[in-house]
Amino acid sequence: MTDEETVPLNLKIDAAGSGSKLEKHAIVCPTIGSIDVYVQGSRGSPNEVVIMTVHDLGCNHEMYQEFVDHPKMVPIRDRTVWVHVEVPGQGIDAKDLPSEYQFPTMQMIGEDLICVLDQLKIKEVVCFGEGAGANILARFAMAHISRVLGICLLHTTGTTAGLFESLKDKMISWKLDTMGMNSSAENYLILHRFGSTQFSKARDKEELKSIVEGYQETLHNKINSKNLKYFVDAFLKRTNIAETVKNLKCPVLLVTGQLSVFNDTTRGLHQAILKTCEDKAKVEFIEVANVGNVLEEQPEKMAESFQYFLQGLGLVSSVPMHNVHKMMRNRTMSMEDYDKPMRERNNSLCGTPPAYPEMLSPPTPTLSSPSNDIPMDRPLIEGK
């Protein structure tokens, strides 16, 4: 196995004018082959917090890069490193996968991601994924328990494809293979990501329309439709992870939009985890009202929810909390200690309670817009 290759990329500049460093790595895995991995942020901190992502169907690493550079995410971004994994053949302007290449199953991808950590010399990660990417990361977390601190899953399905979904997906896959990107495949992918092709119920119709049009442009001009067909097929043939979630030992945050097509399946996965987990306080479920895609339509809410989740793990605790009552910090800790993982902090500060001991246990903090306070222990979070 050869060493991973590193290619520095241009800095992405956020609204505040600061650069978000991005490096491209070619990681060689034993089963799925070579994959592109994009590291966003500066490494080298002794207490670095690493977030690993995998993207959804019809997407690539850029879907998370924009979220991480959102103004609401800047305090977290500046204290973390993001490792964005691209599924084989799904990158911008990717060439056709070789004819002899056997596209991996969702399980194979999930299990092989350990190579990313090993070759980049990362001890442990927090996982963050949406849709098909969330399904892959759940498999990774169950296969490599000791390397995962926590996992945030958006719009996740834990079951196999039903008959209707199976027939529909097979038709879309056939059209992608024979016709390339077409209106049927496009509508399917928009429904998959945004919950609808109509925006009458959207919180901000014009904003959502602009987001979807950008997604359509990417599908038509930047995504290789032949390669995408293989990813859709793998997602269609996914196995049932709801039956094995007893192996998911880390804290879990499940997030869904009220209008997402995966709202019911995300709820179902939540119930499956609750039935088998030893500590139910480690499992959180959040539903955001009036949106199909939380990451695109309500990035501010997603940023707040993810911050609370990280701080419940004992990470990025020096980031100020928003829209919640102030909580007492332990004054014996330095800022460096606050940004250590909780398991490491507890080892070094024996007998010292974590900064937010109840962050994952009810009663939970209030997550709200300025005009409407909605407790996190209620499943529904209102938009603006």
Side-chain angles (χ1 to χ4, degrees), residues 130-131 153-157 255-257 260 262 266 292-295:
E130 180 182 13
L153 305 174
L154 289 75
H155 309 123
T156 315
T157 176
V255 182
T256 184
S260 170
F262 294 112
T266 305
N293 187 300
V294 179
L295 199 63

Side-chain angles (χ1 to χ4, degrees), residues 21-23 25 37-41 43 81-84 120:
K21 183 181 179 182
L22 193 71
E23 285 187 348
H25 299 254
V37 174
Y38 296 81
V39 176
Q40 184 177 0
R43 300 199 60 194
V81 177
W82 291 68
V83 176
H84 306 298
L120 293 180

Side-chain angles (χ1 to χ4, degrees), residues 172-272:
I172 296 303
S173 177
W174 176 79
K175 286 189 174 183
L176 283 171
D177 195 32
T178 58
M179 302 168 57
M181 187 53 62
N182 58 87
S183 59
S184 295
E186 180 183 303
N187 286 337
Y188 164 79
L189 291 166
I190 291 174
L191 183 66
H192 175 89
R193 289 214 66 215
F194 298 96
S196 175
T197 56
Q198 304 297 322
F199 313 128
S200 59
K201 296 182 180 180
R203 173 179 59 89
D204 188 328
K205 299 177 187 177
E206 292 304 315
E207 180 182 0
L208 180 56
K209 182 180 178 182
S210 175
I211 292 171
V212 172
E213 287 176 349
Y215 181 60
Q216 290 173 309
E217 194 274 335
T218 297
L219 289 176
H220 281 277
N221 300 316
K222 297 181 179 180
I223 298 295
N224 185 311
S225 59
K226 291 183 179 180
N227 295 348
L228 176 58
K229 179 256 183 188
Y230 295 126
F231 192 15
V232 172
D233 280 348
F235 183 66
L236 167 66
K237 297 173 183 177
R238 65 187 182 271
T239 56
N240 190 338
I241 61 173
E243 296 176 348
T244 59
V245 288
K246 64 179 182 297
N247 298 319
L248 198 59
K249 304 299 184 182
C250 63
V252 181
L253 173 62
L254 292 157
V255 182
T256 184
Q258 185 182 32
L259 306 181
S260 170
V261 293
F262 294 112
N263 183 289
D264 288 341
T265 59
T266 305
R267 287 179 174 275
L269 183 60
H270 176 231
Q271 293 302 313

Side-chain angles (χ1 to χ4, degrees), residues 299-366:
E300 299 88 355
K301 299 293 183 187
M302 188 63 246
E304 288 186 23
S305 299
F306 190 54
Q307 176 184 333
Y308 303 151
F309 180 64
L310 289 176
Q311 291 179 331
L313 298 174
L315 307 172
V316 301
S317 299
S318 59
V319 178
M321 300 180 70
H322 302 283
N323 299 326
V324 297
H325 298 295
K326 291 183 178 180
M327 303 179 71
M328 296 259 325
R329 291 179 180 270
N330 188 309
R331 297 178 182 271
T332 63
M333 292 187 190
S334 66
M335 287 299 100
E336 289 184 357
D337 285 329
Y338 272 116
D339 283 336
K340 289 181 180 179
M342 186 172 291
R343 66 176 69 164
E344 181 179 338
R345 183 195 305 168
N346 289 343
N347 289 336
S348 62
L349 296 169
C350 184
T352 302
Y356 303 103
E358 303 299 330
M359 186 59 64
L360 293 180
S361 304
T364 49
T366 298

Side-chain angles (χ1 to χ4, degrees), residues 254 256 263 267 270 285-289 374-382:
L254 292 157
T256 184
N263 183 289
R267 287 179 174 275
H270 176 231
F285 175 86
I286 293 177
E287 179 184 74
V288 181
I374 305 295
M376 277 185 70
D377 55 2
R378 286 180 56 186
L380 192 63
I381 295 179
E382 299 287 350

